[in-house]
Amino acid sequence: MEKNAVVLADATDADLIAVAEDELEAAVQIFHVRGGRVRGQRGWVTDKVEAVDTAGLVEHALQQLYGEEKGEAVPKEVLVPALPEDTPALSQWLAERRGAQVSLRVPQRGDKKSLMETVHRNAQQSLALHKTKRASDLTTRSRALEEIAEALELDSAPLRIECFDISHLQGDDVVASMVVFEDGLARKSEYRRFQIKSFEGQDDVRSMHEVVSRRFRRYLQEKLKTGEWSPEEGRTPSPRTTAARSASRTRRSSSSSTADSRRSRPPSGPWRSSASMTSPCAAWPSGWRRSGCPARTTRSYCPAPARASTCSSGSVTKPTASPSSTSAASGASG
């Protein structure tokens, strides 16, 4: 609509406020009518930080529009698409800003209702244009997310980013804030504030530990309710437990290797020979207790005499014992 166009025949001074919205954003448009003519127009697009209806958006718009205005800047009549919850209190506030009575109402018929429809169409167009511009920024956002993934050595670009910050007032009133970005856009409805509960005083590291721990506990509880996670899947041994288990396995392995080495090592003395390297029973004299001998059944001593060419297990022997040692061993076996 052209500026200075005559829209109201009765030379009304009024501001008309219209709102267009979706689940995430809302566009506000205002026409300033003075003397029945459109003298100005303004508007903005805002994110819906919380679940708020049209009446709530109107209240926020009035506070932003007239919060710093006084006198003639506040018109005699303010037309809105829906009345705020506490209309009398808000009307009184507007009257105090103007210094005279202010009418806050919804137009029902006539030129004012038609003009309100025009303002609403402008708000819808503003919201659509805003979304189109944001869509054109998709390539830029994708490139930025890829750069973040490369800098942090991630496998893929992060779809959701949560950032935490600790703030305090000279060491007191310590609070933490969490901001959220999804697909590179701020998700203000997901913003959170945390009060530090586990200790008093200023300690940013402990505060961050508490806040992040609380956040992930909440996340796991939500996944547990939906069946996407179970405690067994997420149970990971602590670094101390892992190190202790590793040390225990190393000790057991070392002890086993030592024991095997002691069992397989032939005794020193006249019975050692090169045959001990190729035969399980070679170079062992009769009567020597050998728990690892494959021929051992019910007797504790090797059944093969030292002068035999084979033992009962079929292993070839090459006795290296002296005759006297062999006779003594044979006697022991007999």
Side-chain angles (χ1 to χ4, degrees):
M1 181 172 290
E2 294 182 3
K3 189 175 180 180
N4 292 323
V6 177
V7 292
L8 298 176
D10 56 357
T12 301
D13 291 343
D15 283 350
L16 290 87
I17 302 173
V19 177
E21 58 181 306
D22 59 13
E23 295 87 353
L24 301 177
E25 297 171 310
V28 180
Q29 278 289 311
I30 302 100
F31 275 17
H32 301 285
V33 179
R34 299 294 184 269
R37 297 175 181 270
V38 177
R39 298 299 186 181
Q41 175 184 352
R42 61 182 298 191
W44 61 82
V45 178
T46 181
D47 293 327
K48 297 174 71 174
V49 179
E50 54 189 10
V52 60
D53 56 8
T54 302
L57 292 171
V58 168
E59 181 177 353
H60 290 314
L62 291 173
Q63 293 172 352
Q64 182 171 347
L65 185 61
Y66 302 115
E68 298 181 358
E69 301 292 345
K70 290 184 178 181
E72 295 296 327
V74 181
K76 294 186 296 184
E77 192 172 7
V78 178
L79 305 178
V80 295
L83 290 175
E85 182 178 352
D86 195 355
T87 301
L90 199 54
S91 298
Q92 180 63 30
W93 176 74
L94 290 173
E96 293 174 357
R97 307 299 300 179
R98 174 179 170 80
Q101 188 67 30
V102 175
S103 175
L104 178 63
R105 65 186 184 89
V106 179
Q108 300 297 328
R109 58 184 179 274
D111 293 340
K112 293 179 180 179
K113 181 175 177 58
S114 298
L115 185 57
M116 175 63 75
E117 293 174 352
T118 301
V119 181
H120 184 257
R121 286 195 297 270
N122 278 27
Q124 290 177 324
Q125 294 172 3
S126 176
L127 182 61
L129 180 61
H130 174 77
K131 287 188 171 295
T132 301
K133 289 182 178 179
R134 276 202 165 185
S136 65
D137 294 338
L138 179 60
T139 302
T140 303
R141 296 201 310 271
S142 299
R143 188 181 301 113
L145 292 174
E146 290 175 358
E147 292 177 356
I148 292 176
E150 293 178 0
L152 300 179
E153 299 182 355
L154 303 177
D155 295 334
S156 59
L159 299 180
R160 180 182 174 94
I161 302 174
E162 295 182 356
C163 307
F164 297 84
D165 180 59
I166 308 297
S167 60
H168 57 86
L169 183 61
Q170 295 182 350
D172 298 327
D173 299 326
V174 182
V175 296
S177 302
M178 179 184 78
V179 297
V180 180
F181 293 85
E182 289 187 353
D183 198 21
L185 297 176
R187 186 72 180 274
K188 294 187 177 180
S189 61
E190 298 287 332
Y191 286 13
R192 295 290 183 271
R193 294 181 65 186
F194 302 86
Q195 290 185 344
I196 306 303
K197 302 178 179 179
S198 62
F199 67 97
E200 295 181 356
Q202 177 187 352
D203 190 330
D204 289 350
V205 176
R206 289 181 63 186
S207 299
M208 187 65 71
H209 179 271
E210 176 186 335
V211 172
V212 174
S213 299
R214 287 166 56 184
R215 174 68 186 102
F216 275 99
R217 277 198 297 268
R218 176 68 177 272
Y219 172 79
L220 293 178
Q221 289 174 358
E222 294 174 354
K223 293 298 181 181
L224 185 61
K225 291 179 180 178
T226 59
E228 300 179 48
W229 178 80
S230 63
E232 289 75 13
E233 295 177 1
R235 188 169 296 163
T236 304
S238 63
R240 181 179 299 179
T241 303
T242 304
R245 291 178 179 176
S246 177
S248 178
R249 286 194 297 267
T250 302
R251 287 194 298 270
R252 287 199 299 268
S253 176
S254 177
S255 300
S256 176
S257 300
T258 303
D260 291 344
S261 175
R262 289 174 179 175
R263 286 196 297 267
S264 61
R265 186 185 300 121
S268 60
W271 301 291
R272 178 180 293 276
S273 72
S274 60
S276 63
M277 304 298 294
T278 58
S279 173
C281 294
W284 291 86
S286 65
W288 187 270
R289 184 182 181 91
R290 182 170 183 244
S291 59
C293 178
R296 178 173 179 251
T297 53
T298 59
R299 288 183 290 181
S300 301
Y301 297 92
C302 180
R307 62 179 178 272
S309 61
T310 60
C311 73
S312 59
S313 66
S315 300
V316 177
T317 61
K318 295 181 180 180
T320 58
S322 61
S324 60
S325 300
T326 302
S327 299
S330 298
S333 64

